[in-house]
Amino acid sequence: MELSDIQARFGKVVLRRRLAAKLGQDEFAEKAEIHRTTLSALERGKHVPNLALVLKLARAFDVKMSVLVAEAEDEKTPLDEPPALPKGRPPKSGRKSERRSSTVRKK
């Protein structure tokens, strides 16, 4: 297995575990004491984690570092993720539709 493969698989392990815990990136990054952009790059397979980062992630997931690494090494571990969390804030109750209907222009 090449470095890029294990890097991508490790990112998927983190993403899958975070989504299974029903945590957003901001919430999990705060729990792991890392920056959200670092977490995002890691989950996309664009960041090679060092031991300090793996330790922070393991503590946030309440597992040993070896568990995360073993999941990334295990080629039988599925790479599919649980359903994603909804993105953004929920829409406010009817405010936009009320505003639009009152601003109809006449020609």
Side-chain angles (χ1 to χ4, degrees):
M1 190 177 300
E2 298 207 17
L3 178 61
S4 60
D5 294 336
I6 194 74
Q7 184 176 328
R9 293 187 72 81
F10 189 83
K12 291 294 184 182
V13 166
V14 173
L15 175 63
R16 188 174 51 252
R17 282 182 164 272
R18 178 180 63 78
L19 292 177
K22 297 183 179 174
L23 296 173
Q25 281 187 336
D26 288 327
E27 191 177 7
F28 182 73
E30 186 176 320
K31 183 176 181 179
E33 299 177 352
I34 62 175
H35 198 275
R36 187 203 54 80
T37 57
T38 301
L39 176 61
S40 175
L42 179 71
E43 289 181 344
R44 290 181 287 118
K46 304 294 182 191
H47 182 78
V48 179
N50 59 27
L51 288 175
L53 179 56
V54 175
L55 179 60
K56 287 180 177 185
L57 295 168
R59 286 180 177 166
F61 286 127
D62 197 27
V63 297
K64 291 185 175 190
M65 293 170 52
S66 60
V67 170
L68 297 178
V69 174
E71 284 183 27
E73 285 182 315
D74 183 9
E75 293 185 13
K76 294 177 185 173
T77 303
L79 288 178
D80 57 333
E81 300 88 33
L85 296 174
K87 295 183 181 182
R89 296 181 188 161
K92 293 184 180 178
S93 58
R95 284 189 162 175
K96 279 189 176 180
S97 62
E98 290 173 10
R99 222 181 288 142
R100 285 184 186 159
S101 63
S102 64
T103 59
V104 176
R105 294 183 183 175
K106 293 183 180 179
K107 290 185 178 181

